[in-house]
Every structure is written in C-alpha cells, then in structure tokens.
C-alpha cells in the first residue's frame, strides 16, 4: 500500500469533517484534527453523512476508529480492519497467515503506531499489530494467555503499549510484557486508558478509577466509582478529567475537585438522542 497522494490528502481533508460509521461525529471522536464545534449550533445543523452496507461500509458494527500517520482512517469491526481513504472503504479483515489465525475477527480497539501501522485489541484473542502493508503479528508472549478480550489499547508518549482487559498489561519497547495488577487487587479488568497532559496514566476499571504514581497504582476518589464500570476517560484543554460510566458522566477539575455538570437544553438533548437512533 502506497502512502496517499497529494490529491488524496486534499480530498481526505474534506471528507474527514463528515459523519463516520453510523452517526458518530468524526470531529468529536478525533479532536486532534482541530475542527471546533460551535456550541450555539445544534449537532444536526452540521453537514453530516452516514455510511452503511447500502453505500459501501463493509460492516455496520464499528467498535473503534483511529487515524494513522499516512492519513487513512481505520475502523475496528466485527469483520476485522476496515480502511477508509476519504472516498472508499476497503475491508482488510484479520490475519489469516498460518500460525497467526485468531479465534475471531472482531476488533474491539485501535491505536496508531509509528509508520502508518496499527495496534489492535481483539475479542477473545488478545492483541496484535498490522503494518498497513499486509504484515500481521499477534501476541504470542511465552507463558501468557492469549484468549482474553482487549477492549482498549493505548500508545503512550514514551512508546509503550498499554493493553486492557482482564490481563491488563504494558508492553515495553523491546516487546517485554508486564502485568499491571498481577495479584488481582486492585481489579484486573481495564476498560479504558488515558495519558493526561502531565504524563500520568489512568485506568478505568469495573471497580474504580486508578492512576499510576511513581510506579504504584493509586485509587482516585475513594468509593465514588466502586459500583460503576468506567468505559471512557478524557481530558479537556483546561485539564479537567471526564469519566464516562455505565451510570452517568462525572467531571473533575484540574485540582481533582468534582464539578457539577450543566446539561444541554432539551432541544440539544433531543438532537443528540436522535443521533443514537441512526
């Protein structure tokens, strides 16, 4: 696969402002593009496009979205990897090379790597890497199980790979894998990671929020999330921490103090709800 041409990049810059994969705003999912949303406008006032099987999307169930350095948008789906060049979708699938066959083709999570490649988390088959040009490698670390779900993968600024699921681990630059919670306390299942602006690594689990401090995991806001499952973490430009759980959304300011969230008007809430039904 050759890198996108200059013509493609110009075309791609126009398309990446649209609505990708069944009604999710690309600007919201990929904030590093730098497109700002006007808070005075409703979501449905923006130019949107929806893709499904009827107009070229090879799978309706999209679990993850990422953009690699070469400009391509990649989707993690039930049928494996899908590449989007701004105009067409290409089903790349999953590794079928002998010895690398997985028990499933469903990709749950994505994280870009250097040179246009991708790290991906798989359902019931650990994690792997695709270089973007046909070369696959799947986790085969000696002595470690490779049959667990990996709902999140994250590449930190220092180059290490953070792998979620019940065998939550961190992979060093030389390929060594280290379990994060080897004694199962705190809980091992990690649903999401975040590296904040201060370089701290956060882990959202099924029984609490943790951050790494001088090599040790510290539980944040003792008791607040004990009965919640944390599925999403984000930091905004003001250093505020946003925590998405199965029981609601919580925000903490840059000093770790909980904030009251002012919800949108009924009109905006109705618009957002309509997107979830697309």
């Amino acid at each position: 696969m050759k890198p996108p041409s200059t013509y493609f990049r110009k075309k791609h810059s126009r398309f990446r402002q649209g609505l990708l994969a069944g009604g999710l705003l690309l600007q919201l999912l990929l904030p590093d593009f730098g497109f700002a949303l006007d808070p005075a406008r409703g979501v449905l006032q923006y130019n949107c496009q929806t893709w499904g099987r009827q107009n070229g999307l090879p799978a309706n169930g999209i679990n993850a979205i990422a953009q690699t350095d070469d400009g391509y948008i990649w989707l993690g789906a039930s049928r494996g990897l899908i590449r989007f060049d701004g105009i067409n979708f290409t089903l790349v699938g999953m590794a079928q090379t002998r010895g690398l066959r997985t028990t499933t083709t469903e990709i749950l999570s994505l994280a870009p790597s250097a040179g246009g490649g991708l790290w991906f988390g798989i359902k019931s088959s650990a994690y792997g890497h695709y270089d973007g040009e046909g070369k696959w490698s799947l986790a085969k670390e000696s002595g470690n199980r490779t049959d667990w779900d990996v709902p999140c993968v994250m590449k930190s600024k220092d180059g290490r790979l953070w792998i979620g699921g019940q065998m939550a681990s961190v992979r060093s630059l030389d390929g060594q894998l280290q379990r994060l919670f080897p004694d199962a306390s705190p809980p091992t299942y990690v649903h999401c990671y975040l590296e904040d602006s201060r370089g701290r690594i956060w882990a959202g689990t099924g029984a609490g929020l943790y951050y790494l401090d001088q090599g040790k995991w510290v539980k944040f806001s003792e008791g607040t999330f004990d009965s919640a499952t944390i599925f999403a973490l984000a930091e905004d430009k003001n250093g505020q921490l946003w925590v998405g759980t199965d029981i609601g959304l919580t925000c903490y300011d840059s000093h770790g103090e909980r904030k009251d969230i002012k919800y949108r008007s009924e009109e905006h809430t109705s618009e957002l709800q309509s997107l979830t039904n697309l």
Side-chain angles (χ1 to χ4, degrees):
M1 181 186 71
K2 295 181 179 179
S5 64
T6 302
Y7 170 78
F8 157 73
R9 291 184 184 279
K10 290 180 180 178
K11 279 285 198 180
H12 181 270
S13 66
R14 289 160 50 195
F15 276 91
R16 68 185 182 185
Q17 299 180 49
L19 194 65
L20 187 60
L24 296 179
L25 278 172
L26 191 58
Q27 298 100 310
L28 296 177
L29 292 174
L30 302 173
D32 288 341
F33 284 141
F35 296 107
L37 296 179
D38 183 353
R41 299 176 66 185
V43 171
L44 297 184
Q45 291 178 273
Y46 287 89
N47 182 27
C48 299
Q49 184 171 346
T50 302
W51 287 274
R53 288 185 180 274
Q54 296 79 6
N55 58 348
L57 184 64
N60 286 336
I62 304 301
N63 299 319
I65 303 175
Q67 185 183 34
T68 46
D69 293 340
D70 54 16
Y72 287 114
I73 298 292
W74 293 85
L75 313 178
S78 57
R79 300 180 65 190
L81 282 175
I82 299 170
R83 190 187 71 202
F84 183 51
D85 63 9
I87 301 175
N88 299 310
F89 294 95
T90 301
L91 178 62
V92 177
M94 178 54 77
Q96 297 298 319
T97 305
R98 187 175 181 179
L100 292 180
R101 188 180 297 275
T102 67
T103 59
T104 179
T105 60
E106 184 166 3
I107 292 179
L108 301 178
S109 53
L110 295 171
S113 66
L118 281 168
W119 290 99
F120 52 86
I122 321 169
K123 182 178 178 62
S124 303
S125 294
Y127 69 100
H129 183 268
Y130 179 65
D131 71 351
E133 299 181 354
K135 183 178 179 180
W136 301 83
S137 58
L138 302 185
K140 295 292 179 184
E141 288 85 0
S142 176
N144 288 282
R145 287 172 46 195
T146 56
D147 60 349
W148 80 95
D149 291 344
V150 179
C152 59
V153 285
M154 183 189 73
K155 196 74 175 290
S156 55
K157 294 184 179 69
D158 61 9
R160 292 187 292 173
L161 181 72
W162 298 80
I163 305 149
Q166 64 264 43
M167 299 283 286
S169 308
V170 59
R171 188 178 190 270
S172 62
L173 294 177
D174 61 3
Q176 297 297 312
L177 203 68
Q178 179 184 352
R179 288 285 304 278
L180 298 183
F181 307 123
D183 58 357
S185 179
T188 60
Y189 201 102
V190 174
H191 293 274
C192 56
Y193 289 110
L194 168 70
E195 182 176 19
D196 68 17
S197 56
R198 297 165 57 183
R200 293 182 300 181
I201 302 296
W202 295 79
T205 78
L209 177 61
Y210 296 84
Y211 65 91
L212 200 56
D213 184 28
Q214 298 182 356
K216 295 182 179 181
W217 289 101
V218 178
K219 193 170 187 178
F220 178 78
S221 190
E222 190 73 31
T224 301
F225 301 110
D226 285 354
S227 59
T229 299
I230 300 171
F231 290 114
L233 295 169
E235 182 187 39
D236 64 25
K237 64 181 180 181
N238 296 319
Q240 297 180 135
L241 177 66
W242 294 82
V243 184
T245 78
D246 59 343
I247 59 174
L249 179 66
T250 306
C251 179
Y252 295 89
D253 65 21
S254 58
H255 302 291
E257 298 295 326
R258 186 167 180 168
K259 293 187 62 177
D260 290 331
I261 300 175
K262 295 182 179 179
Y263 292 96
R264 291 177 179 268
S265 67
E266 184 177 345
E267 175 186 354
H268 288 161
T269 301
S270 176
E271 291 175 349
L272 291 172
Q273 180 63 40
S274 66
L275 283 179
T276 67
N277 297 326
L278 290 177

